[in-house]
Amino acid sequence: MGQGTSAYDQSELAEFQDLTYFTKREVLHVHKRFAELAPEKVKQHGRNPTLTKEEILLLPELAANPFKERILEVFSDAGDGNMNFEQFLDMMSQLSSKAPLETKIDFAFKIYDFNEDGQICENDLQKVILFLVQPAVTGATLTSDERNQVIKNKSCRVSNKKEETVLTEKEISAIVRNVINEMDMDDDGSISYLDFKHGMSKLNGFEESFKVTL
Amino acid sequence: MDFVKGLFDSDKESDSGSAKKNRQKMNKNFDKADKYNSKKKAKKDEDVTGVPRRPNRSNKVGPGADVPDQSVAMNNLDSSEDMPEIPMRPKSRAVILPSGLIIGSEDDSSVHTSTLSSHSSDSFNPRNGLPGLARIEVEDVDNGLVEDDKKSSTVKRQVRTLDGAGRRKSSAHFGRSVSAPAGEKLSLAERRTLRRAERVGVVEKKQLPFFTRIAYEFTMGIQKTTRKIQEGFRNAQIWGPSIKELEGNLGSGVSTYFRVLRWLLKINVISMVMALGLIATPGIWMNEHHDLPDTSLNKDDLNCTNPNFVEGNDTAADVANYILQFLTGQGWMEGTALYLGWYPASNITRTSGDTEKTTYNFPLAYLLVGLAYFLVALMFILNNIARLFKKSAAEKIETKTYSELILTGWDYTIQNKKTAQLRSTTVIKSLKEALSNDAQKFVKISFKKEIGIIVLRVCTNCVAVAAMIGTVFLYYREVVRGTSEDAANSTNACGEKLETADFSNLTDIEINEISAELITRELARFWSSYSASIIVSLSNILFPIFFEFLGQYEFYRFQSTRIAITMVRSFVMKLFSVCVFLYVLYQATKPSGGIMETWQRDNNTLLYNCWENYIGAQLYQLCIIDFIVFCTSLFFSEVLRNILINNIKWFRSKVEQPEFNIPKEILDLCYKQMIFWSAIFFSPLMCCVAVIEVIVIFYLRKASALRNVRPPQKVVLTSQSSSMVNAVFLVSLIFVFVFVGLVIFQFKPSAHCGPFRGKTKIHEPLGLLIENSGGFKTYIYDNLKMTAVIVSIVIIVLLIIYYFKSLAASRNLTIKLLRHQIKVEHVDKQFLIEHIKSQITGKPVQEGKKDGTVSRMSHSQLSGELANKTKKNMTIHRYANPSLKI
């Protein structure tokens, strides 16, 4: 097996092309970007090394995203965020603009389903909001420790910020209630996958904003 | 503001959309082949369209997002592999309920229910399955009853692979999720194994009958080629990286603006190709070979609009002249291919023997291409509108403000930390606004206050209208004055020609004096001829600011209303200004009673030899001036402002960084495009100007946006706004078309210039063509001219629209009902799960509940079927409408 970055031959590329939403050229591009993240490892372990979460997070396309760690966790096999090239390719393919809406909705559902119980419940939504407002609160994205802190305290109030950029706990719970009201079709108090799928396909802007192009 | 969310990106999206369809087709083909193979292999096998087998790894994500609410329990109970310790009925795993309902369970994680009598597996394709009660298949029941021996399961697995791999790749959208829950994803490596297995299947296609194989290979070949072509197009997408960069820095909202630009570029490039290929090239060729008598053109005829163009010896004056004339589009410019007047009126002919045969009827070509520009633009716009309309007519769009903000609030395209921070702040602000809007809805405003606000709004509207009318009047006057001044000068123009020609006999000093005088005169003239365009352009910049200012004092309850009103006012203003400009041109040049005509009659001289050139030159001026104003305002409002903010503290505290106002900018683009459209008939090469201008604007805007601008403060994602943009372009196009149409059908072409010289009306070539081509067409043409026909066509169109509207309304009612049924169904589902639980654990179900379900069952199946249909509809929609982006 391979050495060097473009170690994939045509038939392998064709295979990738069939297995992902990418064209051959795009697969190579993704591989190049992947190899750039940890050139050392690629040298050592050939073309399909496993990179740690931290290494993948070096990607500028993900850097500003508050959900970045969550994305990697959802997509890695072991759930720890470490992934090899094929997993990475798979992830990028599903995040690409060519992935169909339904795939994206699946993906988004898993990202937002923090406790992984197959439903987006109030707690999950609260977390989504906290993640969402986090860049405004901290000015940048947090390390995972800090994030846990934020989630634990359920507050995104940071002392040096103006009042208007802060959501109070009361507001957050009002928002959560509203979201569930809007999305929950079967009236069970949480957003099931079907609710989610139905609701998301009606929302504007999801398909455009839920994509990462390498 | 995510304004045109989605529209103008059509190419890419529809490309990928059709690619999806394509792949799907391929998979269907695979399926066919597979079915064939699998029949041979295992007769007892389950349906080919089965779900990719769920890998047995300890999955991190909750397994049952399919029926996620309750199916966790369900899945675990069902799949003996997953949880072997649960005591289940060992052999037959289908549960038969008293009501005749059978719940078959496979080791797939999905649940299959069926009534044996009512459905055949064919009529119930699991792909179209519906959220809700899972799919119903007779075969499955057999299957569930059949003992699961290992051999058959391997075959099964193989068969599934084919389909599974293909389907996944094909984008999994169909009902896959019904049977394959969200949590169920195969990793790439697994899919590869599946695909390799699939390859084995493909080799075996040799076993297919000859004709089937040929047909199969043929369709596959076609699909592969189309796919390749589509991919080629997608790769050739211009400005992709630029737009990505902008998206990353400013969010997807701003990138919409640039997508609109790209869309306009496409329209203009197509127009340019038509103009260059069908008009300019033959025109130039014919003018080169002007051995034909009527192509020979008297240059003086064209130059008459500029009285002061003198070919002196003085270079300074020359250069100044040249530049000024380049900006005004008059003088030497009028003798060029830029304007209609330059083009020959003859046909390209070929003499073979004695007969002369027309091979290229130039005037006709010119006329048809002139109309084709509009057709192209109309197609582009209608394409967008149709796509949007399909979506909005299908279902009334509910506003889900909060879900939109929370669940789609994060823009994954953002790469820049500062933008991320801004985005986040924006989301918070919008959330707060939504909350306060909600609170506002319950706030009662006192009667007195309300009256006050109404009076205030009436006043502001009056002010707005007055300001508009004032401006319109101002430049109406300017144009009229400009025209009459031209008239005054034009005695110099055409009359003085002989005098100016004497320049060569003068001494150098005299020439210098005269040329200095000429330059000042030229400057004065520059103002007089430009004043109208300058007023129009300035008002375009100032009015939106004024409207915004006005909007702040009108106490609108919701900010969105305020923005919408400001937008509408700005658009009306822009439309007005162009329309008045065109109207004045029309007034000035119209054949009977026009300003020019009156003047000509009074003075008994010809003012303009070529009024077509006059219109062209005016629009060219407007376009150039508008571009200059655009650059200046960009420089002052963005570049300079940002420099000052960055370097001067005092400034920083007073002025904020400029914000990218997407709707305003898009309106501006619309205005520019409107000028191009109106100019294009009178000066074919304007499309080259348009293409250049669009490209320049793209890069200027991009450079400025990346450095100086912060992303918009508000997230407004409404499809209404995107259809509004389309409507804006459509309305502009129609207005321009009316103007051009009037000119074509009413004006008498100039006697000495242009391809239509010597004809009574511009549309004559078309009429001639139709008259020559036979009775029936003539009949149509004659009738088309009648007003009654046009009115009745309009009425028919309105009726059709009404029909579709009411269809949509009735569909909405159905959807409402179906929605209610989904809720009912959910209750059913819960009951079923409980029932199964009780079967397994041996505890009886409470009697009352059971009865309830049996009676509800038929209802729920009905609703299942209904919902299935809607689901199908919805999928079709998504296909027809693959790009909710642009």
Side-chain angles (χ1 to χ4, degrees):
Chain A
M1 288 284 259
Q3 336 68 29
T5 43
S6 55
Y8 288 101
D9 62 38
Q10 282 299 313
S11 68
E12 283 171 305
L13 286 178
E15 204 165 69
F16 278 134
Q17 183 173 323
D18 279 358
L19 294 172
T20 61
Y21 304 109
F22 284 135
T23 59
K24 290 176 191 172
R25 200 197 292 179
E26 285 165 330
V27 171
L28 282 180
H29 177 68
V30 173
H31 188 263
K32 198 178 122 219
R33 297 294 308 272
F34 183 75
E36 279 167 7
L37 292 174
E40 288 302 311
K41 275 198 178 174
V42 175
K43 256 183 205 160
Q44 277 176 22
H45 304 283
R47 61 193 181 181
N48 198 8
T50 302
L51 300 195
T52 62
K53 180 154 82 174
E54 286 69 32
E55 280 167 330
I56 295 172
L57 287 181
L58 291 177
L59 263 187
E61 278 82 359
L62 289 177
N65 196 328
F67 296 100
K68 56 186 176 184
E69 299 188 344
R70 183 76 197 134
I71 298 174
L72 295 189
E73 282 163 19
V74 166
F75 244 86
S76 56
D77 264 357
D80 56 2
N82 302 342
M83 40 173 73
N84 60 20
F85 172 62
E86 289 186 355
Q87 288 164 356
F88 182 76
L89 183 71
D90 202 16
M91 173 175 84
M92 292 326 288
S93 132
Q94 293 190 34
L95 277 172
S96 76
S97 53
K98 277 174 259 162
L101 181 61
E102 206 147 317
T103 310
K104 289 187 175 190
I105 292 177
D106 277 8
F107 196 176
F109 184 81
K110 282 193 273 176
I111 291 176
Y112 297 145
D113 181 16
F114 283 86
N115 55 11
E116 303 186 348
D117 63 351
Q119 318 234 10
I120 296 182
C121 57
E122 290 194 15
N123 274 335
D124 289 330
L125 280 175
Q126 266 176 7
K127 276 187 191 167
V128 174
I129 296 173
L130 292 172
F131 272 61
L132 201 56
V133 302
Q134 172 198 296
V137 176
T138 56
T141 46
L142 300 173
T143 63
S144 43
D145 284 348
E146 286 169 318
R147 180 194 316 236
N148 289 338
Q149 202 68 33
V150 170
I151 289 168
K152 222 190 218 164
N153 298 339
K154 270 198 196 164
S155 153
C156 35
R157 192 184 297 271
V158 170
S159 52
N160 61 353
K161 282 285 159 182
K162 278 180 280 175
E163 191 61 28
E164 63 174 55
T165 63
V166 164
L167 290 175
T168 62
E169 211 163 308
K170 207 172 146 196
E171 280 169 328
I172 289 182
S173 58
I175 293 164
V176 168
R177 263 201 316 281
N178 280 319
V179 173
I180 289 186
N181 273 345
E182 285 170 357
M183 299 286 282
D184 186 20
M185 291 224 317
D186 51 16
D187 272 343
D188 60 356
S190 65
I191 304 171
S192 67
Y193 176 66
L194 290 176
D195 293 337
F196 189 75
K197 203 172 87 179
H198 178 82
M200 291 305 262
S201 58
K202 295 278 174 305
L203 291 187
N204 287 299
F206 172 69
E207 220 178 348
E208 293 82 62
S209 59
F210 196 80
K211 67 179 178 205
V212 175
T213 325
L214 269 189
Chain B
M1 238 153 294
D2 283 13
F3 193 52
V4 223
K5 225 37 204 173
L7 287 201
F8 291 86
D9 193 38
S10 50
D11 35 38
K12 183 168 88 188
E13 294 327 312
S14 55
D15 273 1
S16 67
S18 41
K20 277 178 216 162
K21 276 187 217 162
N22 236 358
R23 289 189 180 180
Q24 215 182 301
K25 272 191 212 157
M26 270 168 124
N27 292 324
K28 269 191 193 157
N29 276 343
F30 272 130
D31 283 356
K32 273 185 207 159
D34 298 344
K35 237 174 198 162
Y36 193 81
N37 286 335
S38 60
K39 265 185 202 162
K40 282 191 178 172
K41 276 184 189 165
K43 271 196 176 173
K44 266 188 190 172
D45 218 306
E46 61 180 81
D47 61 322
V48 187
T49 49
V51 190
R53 196 186 164 82
R54 183 152 169 256
N56 227 355
R57 59 199 156 108
S58 58
N59 215 329
K60 60 281 167 177
V61 178
D66 161 22
V67 213
D69 20 356
Q70 304 304 331
S71 60
V72 186
M74 191 79 152
N75 289 336
N76 290 342
L77 295 178
D78 287 343
S79 96
S80 50
E81 285 172 24
D82 276 300
M83 297 194 77
E85 69 276 4
I86 289 198
M88 285 187 61
R89 291 188 196 172
K91 298 287 175 191
S92 134
R93 288 188 284 110
V95 181
I96 301 174
L97 297 183
S99 57
L101 185 89
I102 298 176
I103 301 172
S105 54
E106 272 187 302
D107 45 358
D108 251 359
S109 56
S110 56
V111 184
H112 308 259
T113 57
S114 158
T115 40
L116 276 165
S117 53
S118 58
H119 301 288
S120 77
S121 58
D122 281 342
S123 71
F124 230 101
N125 187 346
R127 287 192 176 197
N128 308 326
L130 127 107
L133 255 198
R135 62 188 208 201
I136 304 177
E137 285 163 45
V138 178
E139 273 178 89
D140 275 345
V141 180
D142 291 300
N143 202 38
L145 295 166
V146 170
E147 204 176 311
D148 200 44
D149 66 319
K150 277 206 170 163
K151 266 184 207 166
S152 83
S153 86
T154 39
V155 179
K156 218 184 278 175
R157 213 164 290 187
Q158 264 199 347
V159 175
R160 282 174 176 181
T161 54
L162 307 173
D163 184 65
R167 180 118 52 99
R168 241 202 90 83
K169 166 186 84 180
S170 95
S171 65
H173 17 252
F174 266 80
R176 175 185 152 266
S177 48
V178 173
S179 19
E184 182 162 355
K185 291 265 175 201
L186 296 174
S187 78
L188 193 122
E190 283 164 317
R191 269 182 281 150
R192 182 168 41 211
T193 358
L194 297 179
R195 187 181 172 277
R196 288 194 177 148
E198 166 192 324
R199 272 292 143 106
V200 177
V202 172
V203 175
E204 283 173 23
K205 77 172 178 263
K206 275 179 190 156
Q207 296 165 0
L208 293 170
F210 179 72
F211 286 112
T212 322
R213 199 169 76 224
I214 294 290
Y216 174 79
E217 267 164 13
F218 180 69
T219 42
M220 286 297 277
I222 288 181
Q223 280 162 13
K224 269 184 186 159
T225 350
T226 42
R227 191 168 134 195
K228 256 186 197 157
I229 292 170
Q230 279 163 348
E231 255 153 28
F233 271 114
R234 215 184 307 154
N235 289 338
Q237 187 61 258
I238 41 160
W239 290 340
S242 294
I243 288 182
K244 188 202 154 197
E245 190 188 352
L246 287 158
E247 218 165 37
N249 283 291
L250 294 160
S252 56
V254 171
S255 74
T256 342
Y257 169 81
F258 292 92
R259 294 215 167 95
V260 176
L261 261 177
R262 187 166 66 179
W263 182 73
L264 289 179
L265 182 75
K266 262 185 242 158
I267 295 180
N268 286 327
V269 163
I270 291 176
S271 309
M272 185 174 81
V273 169
M274 287 195 300
L276 289 182
L278 297 173
I279 298 180
T281 324
I284 289 168
W285 186 82
M286 283 158 82
N287 269 0
E288 293 281 302
H289 300 76
H290 47 98
D291 39 326
L292 301 159
D294 65 337
T295 38
S296 61
L297 206 61
N298 184 2
K299 282 250 166 186
D300 293 343
D301 287 344
L302 298 176
N303 280 344
C304 266
T305 42
N306 184 1
N308 301 320
F309 178 58
V310 181
E311 287 186 38
N313 304 337
D314 185 43
T315 33
D318 260 5
V319 170
N321 256 332
Y322 256 82
I323 292 172
L324 281 177
Q325 283 166 2
F326 176 75
L327 291 179
T328 53
Q330 294 175 342
W332 62 271
M333 295 276 284
E334 287 183 53
T336 64
L338 181 65
Y339 297 120
L340 181 144
W342 179 85
Y343 289 91
S346 59
N347 304 327
I348 298 177
T349 51
R350 195 184 56 202
T351 27
S352 55
D354 293 339
T355 50
E356 205 173 59
K357 215 179 162 194
T358 305
T359 46
Y360 195 77
N361 185 343
F362 190 77
L364 180 66
Y366 194 100
L367 186 65
L368 289 181
V369 171
L371 296 174
Y373 300 132
F374 290 98
L375 204 65
V376 167
L378 192 69
M379 296 298 272
F380 267 83
I381 296 171
L382 287 186
N383 184 22
N384 276 341
I385 288 184
R387 216 182 296 142
L388 274 176
F389 189 70
K390 264 185 211 156
K391 191 191 171 207
S392 60
E395 195 172 349
K396 216 173 96 199
I397 291 172
E398 306 159 65
T399 43
K400 293 182 174 174
T401 331
Y402 294 98
S403 316
E404 210 154 283
L405 285 170
I406 298 298
L407 298 175
T408 69
W410 187 258
D411 190 340
Y412 283 68
T413 52
I414 292 174
Q415 300 173 22
N416 177 318
K417 288 207 169 164
K418 219 176 153 197
T419 316
Q421 191 181 345
L422 276 169
R423 176 76 180 191
S424 195
T425 319
T426 310
V427 170
I428 295 176
K429 273 187 191 163
S430 315
L431 281 171
K432 286 201 178 249
E433 202 187 296
L435 285 173
S436 77
N437 276 356
D438 276 359
Q440 279 277 320
K441 275 177 197 160
F442 302 104
V443 173
K444 279 250 168 188
I445 297 178
S446 70
F447 185 66
K448 232 180 177 179
K449 231 179 174 179
E450 208 160 347
I451 295 269
I453 286 176
I454 288 172
V455 170
L456 185 79
R457 283 183 197 163
V458 169
C459 290
T460 49
N461 277 320
C462 287
V463 170
V465 171
M468 277 194 236
I469 291 176
T471 325
V472 164
F473 177 73
L474 193 66
Y475 57 70
Y476 181 77
R477 230 198 47 180
E478 273 301 319
V479 173
V480 172
R481 192 177 60 91
T483 326
S484 48
E485 226 166 73
D486 280 348
N489 284 342
S490 82
T491 5
N492 311 344
C494 288
E496 252 181 2
K497 271 232 152 88
L498 284 174
E499 191 193 315
T500 48
D502 287 341
F503 266 107
S504 46
N505 302 333
L506 297 172
T507 59
D508 280 358
I509 306 162
E510 277 172 316
I511 288 174
N512 280 342
E513 273 174 10
I514 289 171
S515 48
E517 195 195 325
L518 279 180
I519 290 170
T520 41
R521 249 169 73 187
E522 193 65 28
L523 278 175
R525 205 191 126 67
F526 176 77
W527 165 248
S528 80
S529 62
Y530 256 133
S531 53
S533 339
I534 290 175
I535 292 171
V536 173
S537 301
L538 273 185
S539 69
N540 262 321
I541 295 242
L542 296 178
F543 268 93
I545 300 172
F546 171 65
F547 289 144
E548 226 157 89
F549 171 79
L550 214 58
Q552 280 171 1
Y553 296 96
E554 288 180 291
F555 301 104
Y556 287 110
R557 220 188 257 193
F558 306 118
Q559 221 190 343
S560 46
T561 331
R562 202 191 55 168
I563 290 173
I565 285 185
T566 313
M567 286 286 304
V568 169
R569 281 178 183 161
S570 305
F571 175 62
V572 169
M573 182 66 208
K574 279 183 203 290
L575 201 64
F576 249 56
S577 54
V578 178
C579 287
V580 168
F581 197 88
L582 295 179
Y583 176 72
V584 169
L585 281 180
Y586 176 78
Q587 283 295 328
T589 52
K590 98 178 159 190
S592 57
I595 297 165
M596 239 152 66
E597 208 252 351
T598 321
W599 190 89
Q600 281 169 5
R601 210 181 39 233
D602 294 351
N603 294 270
N604 204 18
T605 11
L606 211 54
L607 173 54
Y608 293 125
N609 285 336
C610 198
W611 58 263
E612 292 97 334
N613 279 11
Y614 171 75
I615 294 181
Q618 288 293 324
L619 289 166
Y620 173 83
Q621 266 178 39
L622 185 61
C623 162
I624 294 282
I625 281 285
D626 183 64
F627 183 66
I628 293 170
V629 170
F630 165 80
C631 292
T632 343
S633 78
L634 187 72
F635 177 76
F636 281 108
S637 72
E638 289 184 6
V639 181
L640 195 67
R641 185 164 158 190
N642 202 45
I643 291 172
L644 288 175
I645 288 170
N646 283 340
N647 297 318
I648 301 173
K649 236 186 190 166
W650 176 84
F651 222 80
R652 205 173 310 153
S653 58
K654 293 281 174 199
V655 186
E656 278 188 317
Q657 211 189 357
E659 186 183 317
F660 201 99
N661 189 341
I662 301 165
K664 192 176 143 244
E665 300 296 341
I666 288 178
L667 274 191
D668 200 43
L669 285 184
C670 174
Y671 168 72
K672 287 185 170 57
Q673 190 59 36
M674 212 168 155
I675 300 174
F676 292 137
W677 278 330
S678 30
I680 213 161
F681 186 77
F682 305 99
S683 57
L685 292 190
M686 268 299 268
C687 12
C688 305
V689 178
V691 169
I692 295 167
E693 195 176 319
V694 166
I695 292 172
V696 171
I697 288 176
F698 184 90
Y699 284 107
L700 283 181
R701 267 261 167 252
K702 185 192 156 200
S704 171
L706 288 177
R707 284 179 193 81
N708 307 320
V709 172
R710 71 199 155 115
Q713 286 280 309
K714 237 176 99 57
V715 193
V716 181
L717 311 156
T718 53
S719 72
Q720 280 96 328
S721 56
S722 42
S723 40
M724 204 170 106
V725 169
N726 276 316
V728 161
F729 273 95
L730 187 64
V731 169
S732 329
L733 186 73
I734 288 172
F735 269 89
V736 172
F737 186 69
V738 165
F739 166 72
V740 174
L742 279 179
V743 169
I744 288 177
F745 280 93
Q746 293 206 336
F747 282 24
K748 184 182 185 304
S750 309
H752 301 292
C753 65
F756 307 107
R757 73 190 81 152
K759 307 225 159 52
T760 47
K761 291 273 152 64
I762 292 179
H763 69 102
E764 221 177 64
L766 189 64
L768 272 176
L769 174 81
I770 291 166
E771 266 162 43
N772 292 337
S773 67
F776 185 61
K777 282 182 199 158
T778 323
Y779 174 77
I780 294 176
Y781 183 68
D782 285 346
N783 279 303
L784 266 186
K785 283 194 282 196
M786 277 162 55
T787 334
V789 176
I790 290 173
V791 168
S792 50
I793 288 176
V794 167
I795 288 174
I796 290 172
V797 169
L798 286 178
L799 280 177
I800 292 173
I801 290 174
Y802 176 75
Y803 167 73
F804 278 113
K805 270 273 163 199
S806 44
L807 202 69
S810 71
R811 250 190 231 160
N812 278 333
L813 195 71
T814 326
I815 286 165
K816 230 183 193 172
L817 288 173
L818 288 174
R819 222 171 248 162
H820 175 71
Q821 275 165 345
I822 288 176
K823 276 183 191 172
V824 174
E825 221 173 279
H826 177 69
V827 181
D828 273 359
K829 206 162 59 189
Q830 266 176 326
F831 169 78
L832 276 173
I833 287 157
E834 231 149 77
H835 196 92
I836 293 169
K837 264 190 205 163
S838 74
Q839 293 262 324
I840 290 157
T841 51
K843 276 184 212 160
V845 194
Q846 295 121 3
E847 283 305 310
K849 245 187 172 178
K850 193 169 148 194
D851 288 347
T853 336
V854 173
S855 63
R856 221 187 286 129
M857 221 53 233
S858 57
H859 167 75
S860 104
Q861 260 157 19
L862 179 77
S863 72
E865 215 164 346
L866 274 171
N868 218 336
K869 276 177 193 159
T870 6
K871 165 88 193 210
K872 233 188 238 169
N873 280 346
M874 285 193 287
T875 331
I876 288 164
H877 264 213
R878 202 171 302 130
Y879 273 117
N881 188 9
S883 57
L884 306 178
K885 304 172 161 199
I886 249 242

